[in-house]
Amino acid sequence: MKKKTSGRAAAFLAAAAVCTAAMPFHANADSGMKIVALGDSITNGYSVDGSLIASYPELISSYYGAELVNYAQDGLTSAGLLAQLSDGAVQSDIASADVVLITIGGNDVLGPFLNNEYIDATKYNSLSALIAGVKEQGDIAALKLQLYLNSTMPDAIKNCNANVQQIAGQICGMTDAAVVIQTVYNPMDLDGDDTTHVQSGSVTALCANVNNYLEGKPDNTLYPEDGGINDIIRGLGGVSVVDTFYTFENHSYFYTHIDNADVHPNSKGHLAIAETIIECLNIPETGNENGTLFRRAYTFSGAEQTLAGVNASINEAVLARAMMNYAYGDVDASGVIDILDAAAALGIYASQSAGVTPEITGINAEAADGNRDGKTNITDAALMLGYYSEKATGLFDGSFMEYISAKTAN
């Protein structure tokens, strides 16, 4: 890849945010790589309850040790992103990027679908309440809603499709970077999840409606000029397409906050998006952190207990990102190996020796096996303490694995 010189719930589902002049978020790099993120509240890392551990651009940039410049804005539509591309600062950052990440189109579809005079999803704080609210409107209101959607969505989809094609064309004309755009997922697609909402006729109807707008109807009578938004995204030239629609298919209850009537991804959803994009990019790992943030998100999001049952291949891939060589010794996934890690290893050893379950389990317990000999004991703790001490006093300046190799050689 060519390197260049650097120079409560609104947002997505209501499209209510006012998009002002671009004021990007910057994160520094240690690898020389630059990632520019564009799009809506998904890329911006919106979190309905503040529980998001890291957005997918943060996970990816941390993994590569890359500089992140994030221009994404809550509520941004395809028209808004197209207008943003005329900003000189945005153009300059895109031109100097190694990777450009994009999510767009969700507000074009879900905005009018979930925020109109018949349904206002921002009034509800749970999916059950939203479903009840829809039912309370009665059959006449439901008919009026469908007539409204039939009259509104064809133009919304047609305009979005045209905008997305212009966006891709303009960005590809600005940069030699790897440009990655995602398809739009359906937050109502719950069929594969263990939830009481799965058998709800209302959810099924909402899911089918959204799928029609994203994937196109079989007979395409709603918008004969164009397919669904995702049809257009998948056909874009000059970009790589990550098909988030299929990643989230049947499992939006697991990957999003839809149970709180919010369509945004949770930490598990962002992990899945990040993994599929890294797989798509196929760039060698760089930087000093690599998967530290992956492991933190994996551990504290609950993915460690459940992701394997939802998507085994993504789970295995995320584990591989999280447990690279550098992870061993860093028990608490803080990014450094210190006294706390040594104490944690001793705690695991003491619990195992006493025949009780340690407080630290899973991949963090695996990381406590610093020398990777299949067991956690005093030797691991001593190696962590020695490494910490010699790093702090300037006696050693390599990685923990290099330290272990040096000690073994001696």
Side-chain angles (χ1 to χ4, degrees), residues 142-230:
L143 177 60
K144 290 181 178 179
L145 170 62
Q146 194 61 59
L147 292 172
Y148 161 78
L149 293 173
N150 288 348
S151 66
T152 303
M153 294 306 295
D155 282 342
I157 292 168
K158 184 176 180 179
N159 291 336
C160 181
N161 286 343
N163 291 337
V164 166
Q165 292 179 74
Q166 288 188 63
I167 288 165
Q170 289 190 25
I171 291 175
C172 289
M174 296 176 189
T175 184
D176 294 328
V179 180
V180 180
I181 186 169
Q182 298 176 48
T183 54
V184 181
Y185 63 82
N186 183 351
M188 303 291 179
D189 200 342
L190 317 179
D191 285 352
D193 290 317
D194 183 15
T195 163
T196 57
H197 304 304
V198 168
Q199 303 302 323
S200 168
S202 297
V203 169
T204 301
L206 290 171
C207 177
N209 258 317
V210 174
N211 269 359
N212 287 341
Y213 306 135
L214 298 179
E215 298 290 289
K217 292 188 67 174
D219 56 5
N220 214 21
T221 56
L222 279 181
Y223 27 89
E225 301 90 347
D226 300 295
I229 289 175
N230 287 340

Side-chain angles (χ1 to χ4, degrees), residues 13-298:
L13 61 84
V18 177
C19 300
T20 58
M23 298 182 66
F25 165 82
H26 287 262
N28 293 329
D30 59 33
S31 69
M33 181 186 293
K34 180 176 180 178
I35 296 175
V36 173
L38 304 167
D40 51 34
S41 49
I42 296 176
T43 298
N44 198 32
Y46 175 84
S47 177
V48 64
D49 59 0
S51 64
L52 184 64
I53 294 164
S55 66
Y56 83 86
E58 292 171 328
L59 288 162
I60 294 170
S61 61
S62 174
Y63 182 74
Y64 287 120
E67 174 190 4
L68 173 63
V69 184
N70 195 339
Y71 283 100
Q73 299 174 8
D74 294 354
L76 199 69
T77 63
S78 60
L81 177 53
L82 188 60
Q84 192 182 56
L85 294 180
S86 64
D87 183 281
V90 176
Q91 293 175 352
S92 177
D93 277 319
I94 291 174
S96 62
D98 296 289
V99 176
V100 178
L101 306 174
I102 309 167
T103 57
I104 203 65
N107 289 312
D108 296 72
V109 174
L110 292 176
F113 185 81
L114 289 176
N115 185 35
N116 53 70
E117 63 180 299
Y118 309 102
I119 300 177
D120 182 359
T122 61
K123 294 180 179 179
Y124 307 99
N125 58 15
S126 72
L127 184 58
S128 298
L130 174 60
I131 293 169
V134 172
K135 289 180 177 179
E136 287 174 5
Q137 299 293 322
D139 293 340
I140 294 177
L143 177 60
K144 290 181 178 179
L145 170 62
Q146 194 61 59
L147 292 172
Y148 161 78
L149 293 173
N150 288 348
S151 66
T152 303
M153 294 306 295
D155 282 342
I157 292 168
K158 184 176 180 179
N159 291 336
C160 181
N161 286 343
N163 291 337
V164 166
Q165 292 179 74
Q166 288 188 63
I167 288 165
Q170 289 190 25
I171 291 175
C172 289
M174 296 176 189
T175 184
D176 294 328
V179 180
V180 180
I181 186 169
Q182 298 176 48
T183 54
V184 181
Y185 63 82
N186 183 351
M188 303 291 179
D189 200 342
L190 317 179
D191 285 352
D193 290 317
D194 183 15
T195 163
T196 57
H197 304 304
V198 168
Q199 303 302 323
S200 168
S202 297
V203 169
T204 301
L206 290 171
C207 177
N209 258 317
V210 174
N211 269 359
N212 287 341
Y213 306 135
L214 298 179
E215 298 290 289
K217 292 188 67 174
D219 56 5
N220 214 21
T221 56
L222 279 181
Y223 27 89
E225 301 90 347
D226 300 295
I229 289 175
N230 287 340
D231 291 333
I232 299 301
I233 292 175
R234 294 185 186 109
L236 293 172
V239 304
S240 296
V241 176
V242 166
D243 218 330
T244 306
F245 176 86
Y246 289 117
T247 300
F248 280 52
E249 188 177 31
N250 296 325
H251 293 297
S252 290
Y253 187 85
F254 176 79
Y255 283 126
T256 74
H257 290 288
I258 193 61
D259 196 40
N260 294 326
D262 179 80
V263 302
H264 294 86
N266 53 30
S267 289
K268 291 171 282 193
H270 279 276
L271 269 173
I273 293 171
E275 167 49 38
T276 53
I277 290 175
I278 290 174
E279 181 70 21
C280 174
L281 289 171
N282 194 29
I283 300 172
E285 296 83 1
T286 57
N288 297 323
E289 271 198 55
N290 294 73
T292 297
L293 194 55
F294 259 86
R295 181 151 63 98
R296 198 176 303 144
Y298 187 78

Side-chain angles (χ1 to χ4, degrees), residues 279-323:
E279 181 70 21
C280 174
L281 289 171
N282 194 29
I283 300 172
E285 296 83 1
T286 57
N288 297 323
E289 271 198 55
N290 294 73
T292 297
L293 194 55
F294 259 86
R295 181 151 63 98
R296 198 176 303 144
Y298 187 78
T299 301
F300 295 107
S301 67
E304 187 167 13
Q305 291 73 41
T306 53
L307 184 56
V310 174
N311 193 315
S313 61
I314 287 181
N315 182 66
E316 291 172 3
V318 169
L319 276 174
R321 309 290 178 199
M323 293 306 295

